[in-house]
Every structure is written in structure tokens, then in C-alpha cells.
């Protein structure tokens, strides 16, 4: 997909704003005016007592938006912390607040957690190939490379189908397995060989095209390759620029969700 799913963006915003919603609900339950309760909620004493709620929801919002493997687990941890904090707070009030509000809050949170466990959602966090918005622009080039398996001196020849600051598509008669580490000498011109290292992320053996490599940069290799990319950009060699389409907009997503019910769960397109 070309951008973060709108469902995840909205959930991140909802988690970010949730503390203020919680304050509003508490004001209603306490039969106090919203302005007075919000003023009280901004006092140092209240913030000191409830900082865990603010922190856990902020961390949850950031984790949802990050769409990374680590952020999936951080989200679950932050929600668990929030569950415990809410229950301890409920017990400390000694029955001043009924069980129903706590139950409704738990029901909403559990529903959201179940949503993230749905494969169509969970895969966004675990399969980086679905996160197209992270892909740097690729550039067509005709560079030659010499490459070898890590800790193996045997060299193989190949050429670059396309390249970005994050990786390249390498055509070669030898096909490594996914996840293998390869060392590459990129021949930009006859006077310069750029040493690179990367992890094989996919390959096309069926039609004997080649394989993709995700770079594992050092500070020096990142800097050097950046200059190469700048030169390709100036030559107008950019390809695969993922332009946002009309159907990627929030208004289109919302309209589709309302009229067809589709869009609640991300798809890979």
C-alpha cells in the first residue's frame, strides 16, 4: 500500500486524544462541569497521580503509527499497563464509581487489541514489503557489481537493475536464499568501487531475473551511496515514485467505508 492505512492513522489519533476523553467521562460521572474538571486535571497533583495513563496512551499512539514489528509489541505492552492502571484506580475508589464504566472502557480497549490481531492488520507491522510508503525512490542504472556471500571469498558477477538508498535489485546467474547476507562491490565507474553489504529480501528465480538486497549501511557507505543517488536524480533516472492517488486520500477512504463498509481493514494494494 502506498500510504499508512487511514484506519491506523485514525486509531493513533484516537489514542493520542484518549486521555482528554477520559477526563471528560470522569467529569460527567462526577457531575462536574467540563471546564472545572479539565482545569483540575491540568494541575500538578492530578498529573502526578495519572501520568501513567497519559504516558501509556501516548506510547500506544506512537506505536500504532510507527507500523513496525517492535511497535506492535510495545503497543500491546502499553495497553496492558493501561489495563492494570485502570483496574488499580477502580479499586482505589472503593466503589465510588460503578463497574459498568470500567467494563465499557475495557470492552473498547479489548476490541481494539483484537483488531490489531486480525492478520490483515498485524501483517502491516510484521511484513515490511506491505509498507510501500517506506520505499525510497528507485533509480534505473547500468552499474556492474561483484558480489559474494558473507565470509566467502568466491566472487560472482552481476549488474544492477535499479537502486535506491535502501537497496538494489541485482541481476546475477547465482541466486542466494532469502535472509542471506551478501557483500557487494558496486562499480559506479572504472575508478570507484563502493563496498556495500545487505540482506537478501526476495528473489525471482522462476524467470531468472535476479534478487533484491536491503542494504545494511555503515555511516560511510550511506554517505557515499547518497552522492550516487543524487547524481542519478540529476540525470532524471528516477523510477517507481509512489505518488499518492485520489483513492489514497482520507475523504475517499471515509466515503468508501460509509457507503460500502470496505476500508476498515487494510489491503495490500
Amino acid at each position: 500500500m502506498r500510504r499508512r492505512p487511514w484506519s491506523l492513522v485514525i486509531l493513533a489519533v484516537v489514542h493520542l486524544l484518549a486521555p482528554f476523553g477520559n477526563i471528560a467521562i470522569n467529569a460527567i460521572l462526577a457531575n462536574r462541569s467540563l471546564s472545572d474538571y479539565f482545569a483540575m486535571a491540568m494541575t500538578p497533583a492530578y498529573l502526578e497521580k495519572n501520568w501513567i495513563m497519559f504516558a501509556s496512551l501516548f506510547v500506544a499512539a506512537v506505536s500504532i503509527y510507527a507500523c513496525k514489528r517492535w511497535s506492535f509489541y510495545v503497543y500491546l505492552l502499553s495497553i496492558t499497563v493501561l489495563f492494570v492502571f485502570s483496574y488499580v484506580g477502580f479499586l482505589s475508589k472503593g466503589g465510588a464509581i460503578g463497574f459498568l464504566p470500567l467494563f465499557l472502557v475495557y470492552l473498547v480497549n479489548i476490541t481494539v487489541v483484537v483488531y490489531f490481531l486480525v492478520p490483515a492488520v498485524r501483517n502491516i507491522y510484521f511484513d515490511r514489503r506491505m509498507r510501500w510508503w517506506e520505499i525510497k525512490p528507485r533509480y534505473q542504472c547500468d552499474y556492474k557489481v561483484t558480489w559474494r556471500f558473507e565470509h566467502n571469498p568466491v566472487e560472482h558477477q552481476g549488474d544492477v537493475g535499479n537502486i535506491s538508498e535502501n537497496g538494489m535489485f541485482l541481476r546475477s546467474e547465482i541466486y542466494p536464499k532469502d535472509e542471506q547476507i551478501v557483500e557487494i562491490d558496486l562499480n559506479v565507474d572504472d575508478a570507484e568501487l563502493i563496498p556495500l553489504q545487505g540482506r537478501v529480501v526476495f528473489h525471482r528465480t522462476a524467470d531468472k531475473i535476479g534478487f533484491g538486497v536491503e542494504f545494511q549501511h555503515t555511516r560511510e557507505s550511506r554517505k557515499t551511496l547518497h552522492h550516487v543517488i543524487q547524481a542519478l536524480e540529476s540525470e532524471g533516472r528516477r523510477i517507481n515514485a509512489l505518488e499518492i492517488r485520489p483513492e489514497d486520500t482520507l475523504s475517499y477512504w471515509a466515503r468508501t467505508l460509509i457507503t460500502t463498509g470496505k476500508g476498515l481493514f487494510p489491503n495490500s494494494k
Side-chain angles (χ1 to χ4, degrees):
M1 53 197 65
R2 293 172 180 263
R3 65 170 331 283
R4 281 179 176 81
W6 281 112
S7 56
L8 298 183
V9 174
I10 291 173
L11 278 175
V13 173
V14 168
H15 279 72
L16 199 61
L17 298 178
F20 304 102
N22 184 68
I23 292 171
I25 292 173
N26 287 337
I28 294 172
L29 293 175
N31 198 25
R32 296 177 57 179
S33 70
L34 289 178
S35 58
D36 290 345
Y37 206 93
F38 269 96
M40 183 272 295
M42 294 299 106
T43 61
Y46 183 93
L47 294 175
E48 182 179 356
K49 184 178 179 181
N50 295 278
W51 69 269
I52 292 178
M53 176 189 68
F54 286 92
S56 60
L57 285 168
F58 176 80
V59 170
V62 172
S63 300
I64 292 171
Y65 189 80
C67 292
K68 303 288 187 181
R69 179 186 294 264
W70 62 263
S71 72
F72 183 86
Y73 295 114
V74 171
Y75 169 75
L76 295 180
L77 177 62
S78 63
I79 292 301
T80 301
V81 170
L82 183 63
F83 277 19
V84 174
F85 175 77
S86 299
Y87 187 67
V88 171
F90 170 75
L91 294 178
S92 68
K93 289 182 170 48
I97 295 179
F99 181 74
L100 181 59
L102 180 68
F103 172 77
L104 292 176
V105 170
Y106 272 32
L107 181 62
V108 170
N109 286 331
I110 291 172
T111 301
V112 175
V113 170
V114 170
Y115 173 82
F116 281 97
L117 296 177
V118 173
V121 180
R122 187 181 66 243
N123 289 344
I124 298 294
Y125 292 81
F126 285 83
D127 189 350
R128 69 182 64 192
R129 292 172 296 184
M130 297 183 66
R131 304 193 294 265
W132 292 5
W133 65 86
E134 294 181 352
I135 297 176
K136 294 286 188 180
R138 292 188 173 270
Y139 298 84
Q140 187 177 19
C141 60
D142 53 2
Y143 299 144
K144 300 296 182 182
V145 300
T146 300
W147 68 275
R148 55 200 165 273
F149 294 101
E150 187 180 28
H151 308 309
N152 189 328
V154 179
E155 294 186 338
H156 311 284
Q157 303 302 313
D159 58 272
V160 181
N162 58 69
I163 191 169
S164 74
E165 293 192 35
N166 288 345
M168 69 164 60
F169 187 76
L170 198 159
R171 291 190 289 258
S172 175
E173 295 182 357
I174 305 297
Y175 294 91
K177 297 179 180 179
D178 285 352
E179 303 299 326
Q180 283 191 287
I181 303 300
V182 294
E183 298 171 348
I184 300 168
D185 291 327
L186 178 63
N187 188 358
V188 175
D189 57 50
D190 293 336
E192 182 180 11
L193 288 177
I194 300 175
L196 299 166
Q197 180 172 287
R199 181 176 62 92
V200 177
V201 291
F202 76 95
H203 51 285
R204 299 272 297 277
T205 56
D207 43 14
K208 300 297 182 182
I209 293 180
F211 57 93
V213 177
E214 179 184 48
F215 295 139
Q216 297 176 332
H217 278 302
T218 64
R219 179 179 298 181
E220 185 61 30
S221 69
R222 186 183 301 276
K223 180 179 178 181
T224 304
L225 189 59
H226 179 70
H227 293 312
V228 174
I229 296 298
Q230 284 184 318
L232 292 172
E233 176 72 32
S234 65
E235 295 172 9
R237 301 231 187 156
R238 180 188 288 211
I239 58 175
N240 195 31
L242 298 178
E243 299 178 357
I244 299 299
R245 305 167 299 186
E247 54 266 38
D248 296 323
T249 61
L250 175 59
S251 59
Y252 183 93
W253 174 83
R255 187 167 60 251
T256 301
L257 180 63
I258 293 171
T259 57
T260 68
K262 296 180 179 179
L264 183 61
F265 298 101
N267 59 57
S268 60
K269 296 181 180 180

Coordinates of all heavy atoms in Angstrom, one line a residue, residues 116-145:
F116 N -6.1 -5.4 16.1 CA -4.7 -5.5 15.7 C -4.2 -6.9 15.5 O -3.2 -7.1 14.9 CB -3.8 -4.8 16.7 CG -3.8 -3.3 16.6 CD1 -4.6 -2.5 17.3 CD2 -3.0 -2.7 15.6 CE1 -4.6 -1.1 17.2 CE2 -3.0 -1.3 15.4 CZ -3.8 -0.5 16.2
L117 N -4.9 -7.9 16.1 CA -4.6 -9.3 15.9 C -5.1 -9.9 14.6 O -4.7 -11.0 14.3 CB -5.1 -10.1 17.1 CG -4.4 -9.7 18.5 CD1 -5.1 -10.5 19.6 CD2 -2.9 -9.9 18.5
V118 N -6.0 -9.2 14.0 CA -6.5 -9.7 12.7 C -5.3 -9.7 11.7 O -4.6 -8.7 11.6 CB -7.6 -8.7 12.2 CG1 -8.0 -9.1 10.7 CG2 -8.8 -8.8 13.1
P119 N -5.1 -10.8 11.0 CA -4.0 -10.9 10.1 C -3.8 -9.7 9.1 O -2.6 -9.3 8.9 CB -4.2 -12.2 9.3 CG -5.0 -13.0 10.3 CD -5.9 -12.0 11.0
A120 N -4.9 -9.2 8.5 CA -4.7 -8.1 7.6 C -4.1 -6.9 8.2 O -3.5 -6.1 7.6 CB -6.1 -7.8 7.0
V121 N -4.3 -6.7 9.5 CA -3.8 -5.6 10.3 C -2.4 -5.9 10.8 O -1.4 -5.2 10.6 CB -4.7 -5.1 11.4 CG1 -4.1 -3.9 12.2 CG2 -6.1 -4.8 10.9
R122 N -2.3 -7.1 11.4 CA -1.0 -7.5 12.0 C 0.1 -7.5 11.0 O 1.3 -7.2 11.3 CB -1.2 -8.8 12.7 CG 0.1 -9.3 13.5 CD -0.1 -10.7 14.1 NE -0.2 -11.7 13.1 CZ -1.3 -12.4 12.9 NH1 -2.4 -12.3 13.6 NH2 -1.4 -13.4 12.0
N123 N -0.2 -8.0 9.7 CA 0.8 -8.1 8.7 C 1.5 -6.8 8.3 O 2.6 -6.8 7.9 CB 0.2 -8.8 7.5 CG -0.1 -10.2 7.7 OD1 0.3 -10.9 8.6 ND2 -1.0 -10.8 6.8
I124 N 0.7 -5.7 8.5 CA 1.3 -4.4 8.2 C 2.6 -4.2 9.1 O 3.6 -3.6 8.7 CB 0.3 -3.3 8.5 CG1 -0.9 -3.4 7.5 CG2 1.0 -1.9 8.3 CD1 -0.5 -3.2 6.1
Y125 N 2.5 -4.7 10.3 CA 3.6 -4.5 11.3 C 4.7 -5.5 11.1 O 5.9 -5.2 11.4 CB 3.0 -4.6 12.7 CG 2.1 -3.4 13.1 CD1 0.8 -3.4 12.7 CD2 2.6 -2.3 13.7 CE1 0.0 -2.3 12.9 CE2 1.8 -1.2 14.0 CZ 0.5 -1.2 13.6 OH -0.3 -0.2 13.9
F126 N 4.4 -6.7 10.6 CA 5.4 -7.7 10.5 C 6.0 -7.9 9.1 O 7.0 -8.6 9.0 CB 4.8 -9.1 11.0 CG 4.6 -9.1 12.5 CD1 3.5 -8.5 13.1 CD2 5.6 -9.7 13.3 CE1 3.4 -8.6 14.5 CE2 5.4 -9.8 14.7 CZ 4.3 -9.2 15.3
D127 N 5.3 -7.5 8.1 CA 5.8 -7.7 6.7 C 6.1 -6.3 6.1 O 5.2 -5.6 5.7 CB 4.7 -8.4 5.9 CG 5.3 -8.8 4.5 OD1 6.4 -8.4 4.1 OD2 4.6 -9.5 3.8
R128 N 7.4 -6.0 6.1 CA 7.8 -4.7 5.6 C 7.5 -4.5 4.1 O 7.4 -3.4 3.6 CB 9.3 -4.5 5.8 CG 10.2 -5.3 5.0 CD 11.7 -5.1 5.3 NE 12.0 -5.5 6.7 CZ 13.1 -5.2 7.3 NH1 14.0 -4.4 6.7 NH2 13.3 -5.6 8.5
R129 N 7.3 -5.6 3.4 CA 7.0 -5.5 1.9 C 5.6 -4.8 1.7 O 5.4 -4.4 0.6 CB 7.1 -6.8 1.3 CG 8.5 -7.4 1.2 CD 8.5 -8.8 0.7 NE 7.8 -9.7 1.6 CZ 7.7 -11.0 1.5 NH1 8.3 -11.6 0.4 NH2 7.1 -11.8 2.4
M130 N 4.8 -4.8 2.7 CA 3.5 -4.2 2.6 C 3.5 -2.7 2.8 O 2.6 -2.0 2.5 CB 2.5 -4.9 3.6 CG 2.2 -6.3 3.3 SD 1.0 -7.0 4.4 CE -0.5 -6.1 3.9
R131 N 4.6 -2.3 3.4 CA 4.7 -0.8 3.8 C 5.4 -0.1 2.6 O 6.6 0.3 2.8 CB 5.5 -0.7 5.1 CG 4.8 -1.4 6.2 CD 5.3 -1.0 7.6 NE 6.7 -1.3 7.8 CZ 7.2 -2.4 8.4 NH1 6.3 -3.3 8.8 NH2 8.5 -2.7 8.6
W132 N 4.7 0.1 1.5 CA 5.3 0.7 0.4 C 5.8 2.2 0.6 O 6.7 2.7 0.0 CB 4.3 0.7 -0.8 CG 4.0 -0.6 -1.4 CD1 4.4 -1.8 -0.9 CD2 3.2 -0.9 -2.5 NE1 3.9 -2.9 -1.7 CE2 3.2 -2.3 -2.6 CE3 2.4 -0.1 -3.4 CZ2 2.4 -2.9 -3.7 CZ3 1.7 -0.7 -4.4 CH2 1.7 -2.1 -4.5
W133 N 5.1 2.8 1.6 CA 5.4 4.2 1.8 C 6.8 4.4 2.4 O 7.4 5.5 2.4 CB 4.4 4.8 2.8 CG 4.4 4.2 4.2 CD1 5.2 4.6 5.2 CD2 3.6 3.1 4.7 NE1 4.9 3.8 6.3 CE2 3.9 2.9 6.0 CE3 2.6 2.4 4.1 CZ2 3.3 1.9 6.8 CZ3 1.9 1.4 4.8 CH2 2.3 1.2 6.2
E134 N 7.4 3.3 2.9 CA 8.8 3.3 3.4 C 9.8 3.2 2.3 O 11.0 3.5 2.5 CB 9.0 2.2 4.4 CG 8.2 2.4 5.7 CD 8.5 1.3 6.7 OE1 9.2 0.3 6.3 OE2 8.0 1.4 7.8
I135 N 9.4 2.9 1.1 CA 10.3 2.6 0.0 C 10.9 4.0 -0.5 O 10.2 4.9 -0.8 CB 9.7 1.9 -1.2 CG1 9.2 0.5 -0.7 CG2 10.6 1.8 -2.4 CD1 8.5 -0.3 -1.8
K136 N 12.2 4.0 -0.5 CA 12.9 5.2 -1.1 C 12.7 5.2 -2.7 O 12.6 4.1 -3.2 CB 14.4 5.2 -0.8 CG 14.6 5.4 0.7 CD 14.4 6.8 1.1 CE 14.9 7.0 2.6 NZ 14.7 8.4 3.0
P137 N 12.7 6.3 -3.3 CA 12.7 6.3 -4.8 C 13.8 5.5 -5.4 O 14.9 5.5 -4.9 CB 12.9 7.8 -5.1 CG 12.4 8.5 -3.9 CD 12.8 7.7 -2.8
R138 N 13.4 4.7 -6.4 CA 14.4 3.9 -7.1 C 14.9 4.5 -8.4 O 14.1 5.3 -9.0 CB 13.8 2.5 -7.4 CG 13.6 1.7 -6.1 CD 13.2 0.3 -6.4 NE 13.1 -0.5 -5.1 CZ 14.2 -1.2 -4.6 NH1 15.3 -1.2 -5.3 NH2 14.0 -1.8 -3.5
Y139 N 16.0 4.1 -8.8 CA 16.6 4.7 -10.0 C 17.2 3.7 -10.9 O 17.8 2.7 -10.5 CB 17.8 5.7 -9.6 CG 17.3 6.8 -8.7 CD1 17.2 6.7 -7.3 CD2 17.0 8.1 -9.3 CE1 16.7 7.7 -6.5 CE2 16.5 9.1 -8.5 CZ 16.4 8.9 -7.1 OH 15.9 10.0 -6.3
Q140 N 16.9 3.9 -12.2 CA 17.4 3.0 -13.2 C 18.9 3.3 -13.5 O 19.3 4.4 -13.5 CB 16.6 3.1 -14.5 CG 17.0 2.1 -15.6 CD 16.1 2.3 -16.8 OE1 15.5 3.4 -17.0 NE2 16.0 1.3 -17.6
C141 N 19.7 2.2 -13.6 CA 21.1 2.4 -13.8 C 21.7 1.1 -14.5 O 21.0 0.1 -14.6 CB 21.9 2.7 -12.6 SG 21.7 1.4 -11.3
D142 N 22.9 1.2 -15.0 CA 23.5 0.1 -15.6 C 24.9 -0.3 -15.0 O 25.8 -0.7 -15.6 CB 23.7 0.4 -17.1 CG 24.5 1.7 -17.4 OD1 24.9 2.3 -16.4 OD2 24.7 2.0 -18.5
Y143 N 24.9 -0.1 -13.7 CA 26.2 -0.4 -12.9 C 26.5 -1.9 -12.9 O 25.5 -2.7 -12.8 CB 26.1 0.2 -11.5 CG 25.9 1.7 -11.4 CD1 25.1 2.2 -10.4 CD2 26.5 2.5 -12.3 CE1 24.9 3.6 -10.2 CE2 26.3 3.9 -12.2 CZ 25.5 4.4 -11.1 OH 25.4 5.8 -11.0
K144 N 27.7 -2.2 -12.9 CA 28.2 -3.6 -12.7 C 28.5 -3.8 -11.3 O 28.9 -2.8 -10.6 CB 29.4 -3.9 -13.6 CG 29.1 -3.7 -15.1 CD 28.1 -4.7 -15.6 CE 27.8 -4.5 -17.1 NZ 26.8 -5.5 -17.6
V145 N 28.4 -5.0 -10.8 CA 28.8 -5.3 -9.4 C 29.5 -6.6 -9.4 O 29.4 -7.5 -10.3 CB 27.5 -5.5 -8.5 CG1 26.7 -4.2 -8.5 CG2 26.6 -6.6 -8.9

